mmCIF file of all heavy atoms in Angstrom:
data_model
loop_
_atom_site.group_PDB
_atom_site.id
_atom_site.type_symbol
_atom_site.label_atom_id
_atom_site.label_comp_id
_atom_site.label_asym_id
_atom_site.label_seq_id
_atom_site.Cartn_x
_atom_site.Cartn_y
_atom_site.Cartn_z
ATOM 1 N N GLN A 175 113.007 158.753 144.647
ATOM 2 C CA GLN A 175 113.656 160.046 144.845
ATOM 3 C C GLN A 175 114.237 160.537 143.523
ATOM 4 O O GLN A 175 115.451 160.686 143.389
ATOM 5 C CB GLN A 175 114.739 159.930 145.912
ATOM 6 C CG GLN A 175 114.198 159.580 147.263
ATOM 7 C CD GLN A 175 115.275 159.528 148.334
ATOM 8 O OE1 GLN A 175 116.461 159.511 148.061
ATOM 9 N NE2 GLN A 175 114.839 159.487 149.570
ATOM 10 N N PRO A 176 113.369 160.799 142.542
ATOM 11 C CA PRO A 176 113.871 161.250 141.242
ATOM 12 C C PRO A 176 114.552 162.616 141.354
ATOM 13 O O PRO A 176 114.059 163.496 142.056
ATOM 14 C CB PRO A 176 112.623 161.345 140.368
ATOM 15 C CG PRO A 176 111.529 160.694 141.128
ATOM 16 C CD PRO A 176 111.926 160.676 142.558
ATOM 17 N N ALA A 177 115.649 162.771 140.657
ATOM 18 C CA ALA A 177 116.372 164.041 140.665
ATOM 19 C C ALA A 177 115.494 165.151 140.101
ATOM 20 O O ALA A 177 114.766 164.954 139.128
ATOM 21 C CB ALA A 177 117.653 163.913 139.845
ATOM 22 N N GLY A 178 115.542 166.300 140.750
ATOM 23 C CA GLY A 178 114.841 167.472 140.251
ATOM 24 C C GLY A 178 113.367 167.539 140.577
ATOM 25 O O GLY A 178 112.701 168.509 140.231
ATOM 26 N N LEU A 179 112.832 166.529 141.231
ATOM 27 C CA LEU A 179 111.407 166.511 141.558
ATOM 28 C C LEU A 179 111.205 167.053 142.974
ATOM 29 O O LEU A 179 111.930 166.678 143.894
ATOM 30 C CB LEU A 179 110.865 165.081 141.459
ATOM 31 C CG LEU A 179 109.356 164.899 141.451
ATOM 32 C CD1 LEU A 179 108.740 165.594 140.240
ATOM 33 C CD2 LEU A 179 109.017 163.420 141.406
ATOM 34 N N ALA A 180 110.242 167.919 143.154
ATOM 35 C CA ALA A 180 109.948 168.473 144.476
ATOM 36 C C ALA A 180 109.574 167.345 145.440
ATOM 37 O O ALA A 180 108.948 166.351 145.038
ATOM 38 C CB ALA A 180 108.805 169.480 144.384
ATOM 39 N N ASP A 181 109.944 167.492 146.689
ATOM 40 C CA ASP A 181 109.686 166.454 147.695
ATOM 41 C C ASP A 181 108.216 166.059 147.750
ATOM 42 O O ASP A 181 107.892 164.883 147.852
ATOM 43 C CB ASP A 181 110.151 166.933 149.075
ATOM 44 C CG ASP A 181 109.980 165.851 150.121
ATOM 45 O OD1 ASP A 181 110.670 164.816 150.023
ATOM 46 O OD2 ASP A 181 109.134 166.038 151.022
ATOM 47 N N ARG A 182 107.330 167.016 147.679
ATOM 48 C CA ARG A 182 105.882 166.723 147.760
ATOM 49 C C ARG A 182 105.381 165.902 146.576
ATOM 50 O O ARG A 182 104.307 165.326 146.642
ATOM 51 C CB ARG A 182 105.074 168.017 147.828
ATOM 52 C CG ARG A 182 105.176 168.719 149.145
ATOM 53 C CD ARG A 182 104.350 169.993 149.109
ATOM 54 N NE ARG A 182 104.511 170.743 150.333
ATOM 55 C CZ ARG A 182 103.551 170.934 151.218
ATOM 56 N NH1 ARG A 182 102.349 170.449 151.002
ATOM 57 N NH2 ARG A 182 103.773 171.620 152.318
ATOM 58 N N GLU A 183 106.130 165.863 145.497
ATOM 59 C CA GLU A 183 105.702 165.169 144.283
ATOM 60 C C GLU A 183 106.360 163.812 144.083
ATOM 61 O O GLU A 183 106.208 163.200 143.025
ATOM 62 C CB GLU A 183 105.950 166.059 143.061
ATOM 63 C CG GLU A 183 105.165 167.361 143.104
ATOM 64 C CD GLU A 183 103.669 167.145 143.309
ATOM 65 O OE1 GLU A 183 103.092 166.270 142.645
ATOM 66 O OE2 GLU A 183 103.087 167.858 144.150
ATOM 67 N N ARG A 184 107.064 163.327 145.088
ATOM 68 C CA ARG A 184 107.728 162.030 144.957
ATOM 69 C C ARG A 184 106.695 160.900 144.875
ATOM 70 O O ARG A 184 105.840 160.772 145.747
ATOM 71 C CB ARG A 184 108.656 161.800 146.143
ATOM 72 C CG ARG A 184 109.855 162.723 146.120
ATOM 73 C CD ARG A 184 110.701 162.608 147.369
ATOM 74 N NE ARG A 184 110.939 161.212 147.722
ATOM 75 C CZ ARG A 184 111.107 160.809 148.988
ATOM 76 N NH1 ARG A 184 111.083 161.650 149.994
ATOM 77 N NH2 ARG A 184 111.331 159.542 149.237
ATOM 78 N N PRO A 185 106.779 160.054 143.852
ATOM 79 C CA PRO A 185 105.836 158.938 143.707
ATOM 80 C C PRO A 185 106.295 157.724 144.513
ATOM 81 O O PRO A 185 107.443 157.643 144.954
ATOM 82 C CB PRO A 185 105.908 158.623 142.209
ATOM 83 C CG PRO A 185 107.327 158.952 141.858
ATOM 84 C CD PRO A 185 107.694 160.158 142.703
ATOM 85 N N LEU A 186 105.400 156.788 144.683
ATOM 86 C CA LEU A 186 105.770 155.516 145.297
ATOM 87 C C LEU A 186 106.564 154.682 144.295
ATOM 88 O O LEU A 186 106.338 154.763 143.087
ATOM 89 C CB LEU A 186 104.528 154.723 145.718
ATOM 90 C CG LEU A 186 103.678 155.302 146.839
ATOM 91 C CD1 LEU A 186 102.505 154.367 147.126
ATOM 92 C CD2 LEU A 186 104.483 155.565 148.088
ATOM 93 N N THR A 187 107.437 153.854 144.822
ATOM 94 C CA THR A 187 108.114 152.858 143.989
ATOM 95 C C THR A 187 107.138 151.703 143.763
ATOM 96 O O THR A 187 106.060 151.648 144.373
ATOM 97 C CB THR A 187 109.367 152.322 144.697
ATOM 98 O OG1 THR A 187 108.953 151.666 145.901
ATOM 99 C CG2 THR A 187 110.367 153.433 145.011
ATOM 100 N N ASP A 188 107.522 150.752 142.916
ATOM 101 C CA ASP A 188 106.681 149.562 142.736
ATOM 102 C C ASP A 188 106.505 148.833 144.065
ATOM 103 O O ASP A 188 105.399 148.391 144.392
ATOM 104 C CB ASP A 188 107.299 148.619 141.700
ATOM 105 C CG ASP A 188 107.219 149.172 140.286
ATOM 106 O OD1 ASP A 188 106.420 150.112 140.047
ATOM 107 O OD2 ASP A 188 107.959 148.670 139.419
ATOM 108 N N ARG A 189 107.591 148.715 144.817
ATOM 109 C CA ARG A 189 107.485 148.073 146.135
ATOM 110 C C ARG A 189 106.548 148.867 147.040
ATOM 111 O O ARG A 189 105.744 148.305 147.785
ATOM 112 C CB ARG A 189 108.850 147.946 146.787
ATOM 113 C CG ARG A 189 108.730 147.319 148.159
ATOM 114 C CD ARG A 189 110.014 147.314 148.951
ATOM 115 N NE ARG A 189 109.704 146.813 150.277
ATOM 116 C CZ ARG A 189 110.292 145.803 150.830
ATOM 117 N NH1 ARG A 189 111.251 145.166 150.209
ATOM 118 N NH2 ARG A 189 109.937 145.419 152.028
ATOM 119 N N GLY A 190 106.648 150.192 146.998
ATOM 120 C CA GLY A 190 105.771 151.037 147.800
ATOM 121 C C GLY A 190 104.303 150.803 147.469
ATOM 122 O O GLY A 190 103.453 150.732 148.356
ATOM 123 N N GLU A 191 104.004 150.669 146.198
ATOM 124 C CA GLU A 191 102.611 150.395 145.786
ATOM 125 C C GLU A 191 102.137 149.054 146.362
ATOM 126 O O GLU A 191 101.033 148.952 146.892
ATOM 127 C CB GLU A 191 102.503 150.395 144.261
ATOM 128 C CG GLU A 191 102.838 151.738 143.643
ATOM 129 C CD GLU A 191 101.668 152.410 142.973
ATOM 130 O OE1 GLU A 191 100.682 151.733 142.654
ATOM 131 O OE2 GLU A 191 101.756 153.636 142.766
ATOM 132 N N ARG A 192 102.990 148.025 146.265
ATOM 133 C CA ARG A 192 102.623 146.708 146.811
ATOM 134 C C ARG A 192 102.445 146.783 148.339
ATOM 135 O O ARG A 192 101.494 146.241 148.887
ATOM 136 C CB ARG A 192 103.689 145.666 146.469
ATOM 137 C CG ARG A 192 103.656 145.177 145.045
ATOM 138 C CD ARG A 192 104.572 143.977 144.829
ATOM 139 N NE ARG A 192 105.935 144.176 145.302
ATOM 140 C CZ ARG A 192 106.915 144.739 144.589
ATOM 141 N NH1 ARG A 192 106.670 145.154 143.364
ATOM 142 N NH2 ARG A 192 108.123 144.870 145.100
ATOM 143 N N ASP A 193 103.384 147.458 149.017
ATOM 144 C CA ASP A 193 103.324 147.545 150.477
ATOM 145 C C ASP A 193 102.102 148.316 150.953
ATOM 146 O O ASP A 193 101.506 147.975 151.977
ATOM 147 C CB ASP A 193 104.596 148.178 151.036
ATOM 148 C CG ASP A 193 105.808 147.268 150.916
ATOM 149 O OD1 ASP A 193 105.641 146.060 150.615
ATOM 150 O OD2 ASP A 193 106.934 147.773 151.122
ATOM 151 N N ALA A 194 101.719 149.359 150.231
ATOM 152 C CA ALA A 194 100.524 150.127 150.610
ATOM 153 C C ALA A 194 99.282 149.237 150.531
ATOM 154 O O ALA A 194 98.439 149.245 151.436
ATOM 155 C CB ALA A 194 100.372 151.351 149.713
ATOM 156 N N ARG A 195 99.179 148.453 149.468
ATOM 157 C CA ARG A 195 98.042 147.527 149.351
ATOM 158 C C ARG A 195 98.061 146.494 150.479
ATOM 159 O O ARG A 195 97.026 146.175 151.060
ATOM 160 C CB ARG A 195 98.073 146.814 147.996
ATOM 161 C CG ARG A 195 97.649 147.665 146.842
ATOM 162 C CD ARG A 195 97.574 146.838 145.538
ATOM 163 N NE ARG A 195 97.444 147.699 144.410
ATOM 164 C CZ ARG A 195 98.454 148.147 143.676
ATOM 165 N NH1 ARG A 195 99.701 147.771 143.939
ATOM 166 N NH2 ARG A 195 98.243 148.952 142.650
ATOM 167 N N ARG A 196 99.251 145.972 150.779
ATOM 168 C CA ARG A 196 99.386 144.976 151.844
ATOM 169 C C ARG A 196 99.003 145.559 153.202
ATOM 170 O O ARG A 196 98.348 144.877 154.002
ATOM 171 C CB ARG A 196 100.825 144.446 151.895
ATOM 172 C CG ARG A 196 101.190 143.554 150.731
ATOM 173 C CD ARG A 196 102.642 143.097 150.761
ATOM 174 N NE ARG A 196 103.012 142.509 152.032
ATOM 175 C CZ ARG A 196 104.206 142.668 152.610
ATOM 176 N NH1 ARG A 196 105.142 143.408 152.054
ATOM 177 N NH2 ARG A 196 104.458 142.084 153.753
ATOM 178 N N ALA A 197 99.398 146.795 153.472
ATOM 179 C CA ALA A 197 99.037 147.426 154.740
ATOM 180 C C ALA A 197 97.513 147.509 154.863
ATOM 181 O O ALA A 197 96.948 147.171 155.913
ATOM 182 C CB ALA A 197 99.667 148.816 154.844
ATOM 183 N N GLY A 198 96.853 147.929 153.814
ATOM 184 C CA GLY A 198 95.393 147.995 153.825
ATOM 185 C C GLY A 198 94.763 146.630 154.028
ATOM 186 O O GLY A 198 93.809 146.478 154.789
ATOM 187 N N ASP A 199 95.317 145.611 153.354
ATOM 188 C CA ASP A 199 94.804 144.242 153.519
ATOM 189 C C ASP A 199 94.948 143.786 154.965
ATOM 190 O O ASP A 199 94.030 143.175 155.529
ATOM 191 C CB ASP A 199 95.548 143.265 152.602
ATOM 192 C CG ASP A 199 95.233 143.465 151.126
ATOM 193 O OD1 ASP A 199 94.234 144.144 150.797
ATOM 194 O OD2 ASP A 199 96.015 142.938 150.292
ATOM 195 N N GLU A 200 96.095 144.063 155.575
ATOM 196 C CA GLU A 200 96.331 143.680 156.977
ATOM 197 C C GLU A 200 95.322 144.352 157.903
ATOM 198 O O GLU A 200 94.783 143.711 158.807
ATOM 199 C CB GLU A 200 97.752 144.054 157.408
ATOM 200 C CG GLU A 200 98.836 143.231 156.779
ATOM 201 C CD GLU A 200 98.898 141.812 157.313
ATOM 202 O OE1 GLU A 200 98.624 141.596 158.510
ATOM 203 O OE2 GLU A 200 99.234 140.912 156.525
ATOM 204 N N LEU A 201 95.080 145.622 157.685
ATOM 205 C CA LEU A 201 94.137 146.346 158.538
ATOM 206 C C LEU A 201 92.706 145.836 158.351
ATOM 207 O O LEU A 201 91.978 145.653 159.321
ATOM 208 C CB LEU A 201 94.228 147.849 158.269
ATOM 209 C CG LEU A 201 95.516 148.492 158.789
ATOM 210 C CD1 LEU A 201 95.735 149.862 158.175
ATOM 211 C CD2 LEU A 201 95.494 148.571 160.304
ATOM 212 N N ARG A 202 92.312 145.586 157.111
ATOM 213 C CA ARG A 202 90.959 145.062 156.865
ATOM 214 C C ARG A 202 90.793 143.672 157.480
ATOM 215 O O ARG A 202 89.753 143.364 158.066
ATOM 216 C CB ARG A 202 90.669 145.021 155.360
ATOM 217 C CG ARG A 202 90.192 146.356 154.821
ATOM 218 C CD ARG A 202 89.755 146.264 153.376
ATOM 219 N NE ARG A 202 90.847 145.920 152.478
ATOM 220 C CZ ARG A 202 91.795 146.774 152.091
ATOM 221 N NH1 ARG A 202 91.788 148.017 152.510
ATOM 222 N NH2 ARG A 202 92.755 146.381 151.273
#
Side-chain angles (χ1 to χ4, degrees):
Q175 296 183 346
L179 194 62
D181 184 66
R182 287 180 184 247
E183 298 306 315
R184 291 174 46 210
L186 293 181
T187 63
D188 289 343
R189 178 187 174 124
E191 297 246 341
R192 284 190 308 274
D193 289 348
R195 285 186 192 94
R196 289 177 52 217
D199 290 344
E200 290 288 326
L201 289 164
R202 277 187 296 284

